[in-house]
Amino acid sequence: MVELEKTMKRYAMAVAIVACCAGLASGQDGAAPAPAAEVLTSKSGEVKYTLEVFASGLQVPWAMAFLPDGSMMLTERAGRVRLIKDGKLVAEPVHTVENVWKRGGENGLMGLALHPEFAKNGMVYISYGDTVAKDIRVMRYVYTDGKFADGKEILTGLPIGANHAGCCLAFGPDGKLYVTAGETFKKALAQDMNSLGGKIMRLNDDGTVPSDNPFVGKEGVRPEIWALGARNAQGIDWQPGTGQMFATEHGPSGERGIGENNTEGDEFNKVSKGDNLGWPAIHHDMTQDGMVTPLLHWTPGIAPSSGKFYRGDKFPALKGNFLVGGLKGNRLVRIKLDGDKVVSHETLVKGLGRIRAICEGPDGSIYFATSNKDGRGMPKPEDDRIFRMVPAQ
């Protein structure tokens, strides 16, 4: 680690190729620092790549998505929706959220999702903490002439708090909008079926509830709920070919009142209709009838803040792998699956600080963003940054 820190300082001003900043990018702790522009290789040897700086000078980017014209839209936790067009960060925000949470912690402007038919309807969905309404909410806008218009409330009333407020948005292969909500350190909410806290919700694109949701019509149960028992899920995606949902979740991390095994235990879960992910009754590798035990848990934890399946062709060895950004772990992780079984997992990138958002570019390149200005990182002058991972030449 000492050698890595020296290398990072030496090349802190590099702006084009930042592979030199990732002496431990191979996932091999203690590996010798890589000189500038050297090809980086995963520990398994399957993935060879270099890293480029795609954007810099951002403030805690939380989610990213590519538009049909190749531009990237992203959220900054401070309340701005930004655009990167023709390789340049557009100075004026596309949209600025009023009343966004700015009291510190993990709250603020978070999730971003484009409607599956965005090219036709321009619909964009964002989630954020609203200090006036005193909730976390999901809003839909129409992106037109470079701005957001026609705001509509899609889901409101999610519990608000400084921490464990993560609200990820994603459209599933069924065309429905899925929303994750943390339990804001009120762990009982995760099993409270009259609360949206600690849940994964499923909605139609206009915010109405699909008739085939698992708890529709049950008394005392919120019909929006798709799965329950989540502590703070912040990454969801669907496996190509099977359509199965998988999710990342923050583990106990010193939570009081859950017994002796109350540290670390970040999770990677398979999630199906009506599942109970177990929090706070089970965690780590605990089991209980009617509850889901994670496929994988990280101890020491990595604070998994995102999750995406890789679908592109640029990295054949990564096709079908689940990619995870780690905040506490300061790393980008790959999980290799055989169906719903974890075959292996390894670190792809390390040494750039806290990693949150991940997305795949239209050309199959992998983009990931740092979260070093969130009050817990050690930001460089050019942070926060978005990096592009490309195959080594």
Side-chain angles (χ1 to χ4, degrees):
M1 292 300 294
V2 172
E3 290 300 317
L4 173 62
E5 292 171 1
K6 290 180 180 178
T7 304
M8 290 175 66
K9 291 178 181 178
R10 190 181 306 146
Y11 295 101
M13 300 306 294
V15 295
I17 303 297
V18 300
C20 54
C21 297
L24 295 184
S26 65
Q28 303 175 67
D29 290 352
E38 182 175 326
V39 172
L40 299 171
T41 307
S42 64
K43 185 176 181 180
S44 65
E46 294 180 325
V47 186
K48 293 179 172 59
Y49 63 91
T50 57
L51 296 176
E52 303 169 351
V53 175
F54 180 67
S56 59
L58 298 166
Q59 187 175 0
V60 195
W62 213 97
M64 309 180 292
F66 276 93
L67 307 186
D69 66 359
S71 303
M72 176 189 280
M73 186 176 287
L74 63 102
T75 57
E76 290 181 301
R77 202 167 68 185
R80 294 179 294 270
V81 181
R82 309 292 299 275
L83 195 69
I84 299 173
K85 189 175 181 63
D86 298 326
K88 297 180 181 179
L89 179 66
V90 178
E92 186 178 355
V94 170
H95 179 71
T96 300
V97 178
E98 296 181 4
N99 307 321
V100 72
W101 179 285
K102 292 183 179 179
R103 301 177 185 175
E106 302 164 355
N107 205 329
L109 175 57
M110 295 176 278
L112 169 73
L114 306 183
H115 192 282
E117 296 184 358
F118 173 85
K120 295 180 180 179
N121 60 33
M123 291 181 180
V124 182
Y125 299 72
I126 60 174
S127 62
Y128 61 92
D130 190 307
T131 54
V132 173
K134 294 181 171 57
D135 67 359
I136 292 176
R137 52 187 43 217
V138 179
M139 295 288 296
R140 186 184 75 189
Y141 294 89
V142 176
Y143 180 62
T144 179
D145 297 326
K147 294 293 182 181
F148 280 9
D150 302 329
K152 172 181 171 59
E153 293 180 356
I154 296 298
L155 182 63
T156 62
L158 280 65
I160 192 169
N163 299 309
H164 283 204
C167 191
C168 169
L169 306 179
F171 275 92
D174 57 0
K176 306 301 183 184
L177 176 66
Y178 290 77
V179 182
T180 72
E183 33 79 300
T184 63
F185 273 114
K186 300 179 180 67
K187 53 183 177 290
L189 293 183
Q191 296 294 325
D192 181 352
M193 298 298 283
N194 196 36
S195 169
L196 297 180
K199 310 294 192 306
I200 299 175
M201 278 67 69
R202 177 176 181 257
L203 303 167
N204 294 318
D205 64 356
D206 61 357
T208 58
V209 176
S211 60
D212 60 345
N213 268 13
F215 304 108
V216 168
K218 295 191 176 182
E219 186 176 354
V221 179
R222 292 292 299 260
E224 302 94 337
I225 297 172
W226 178 256
L228 63 145
R231 186 172 188 249
N232 190 21
Q234 291 190 350
I236 53 174
D237 201 2
W238 290 262
Q239 188 175 44
T242 69
Q244 175 65 53
M245 177 193 283
F246 290 82
T248 60
E249 183 175 341
H250 292 261
S253 301
E255 183 82 40
R256 297 179 180 179
I258 61 169
E260 295 181 2
N261 195 12
N262 69 341
T263 59
E264 312 298 349
D266 295 326
E267 298 182 2
F268 174 60
N269 287 300
K270 173 185 174 183
V271 185
S272 299
K273 179 178 181 178
D275 271 353
N276 187 337
L277 302 177
W279 179 253
I282 65 170
H283 43 87
H284 292 79
D285 55 1
M286 296 169 65
T287 62
Q288 185 168 314
D289 288 345
M291 295 184 177
V292 175
T293 298
L295 299 176
L296 169 68
H297 71 84
W298 288 277
T299 301
I302 66 168
S305 57
S306 53
K308 293 289 182 183
F309 277 102
Y310 181 71
R311 295 169 168 82
D313 296 319
K314 273 201 170 184
F315 294 97
L318 293 179
K319 199 173 185 72
N321 288 190
F322 196 83
L323 304 179
V324 181
L327 294 170
K328 181 179 178 182
N330 298 327
R331 67 191 68 191
L332 178 66
V333 175
R334 73 183 287 205
I335 300 173
K336 185 185 291 188
L337 293 161
D338 180 6
D340 60 3
K341 303 293 190 297
V342 174
V343 174
S344 63
H345 60 99
E346 67 171 326
T347 296
L348 287 180
V349 178
K350 189 176 180 182
L352 299 173
R354 295 163 63 81
I355 295 176
R356 182 183 293 279
I358 303 172
C359 75
E360 182 181 325
D363 64 348
S365 297
I366 296 168
Y367 295 75
F368 62 90
T370 67
S371 187
N372 291 326
K373 286 186 175 179
D374 61 11
R376 299 178 181 177
M378 299 178 64
K380 300 287 187 296
E382 61 270 30
D383 278 337
D384 274 315
R385 292 172 287 176
I386 298 174
F387 293 95
R388 175 168 52 203
M389 178 189 292
V390 297
Q393 299 299 317

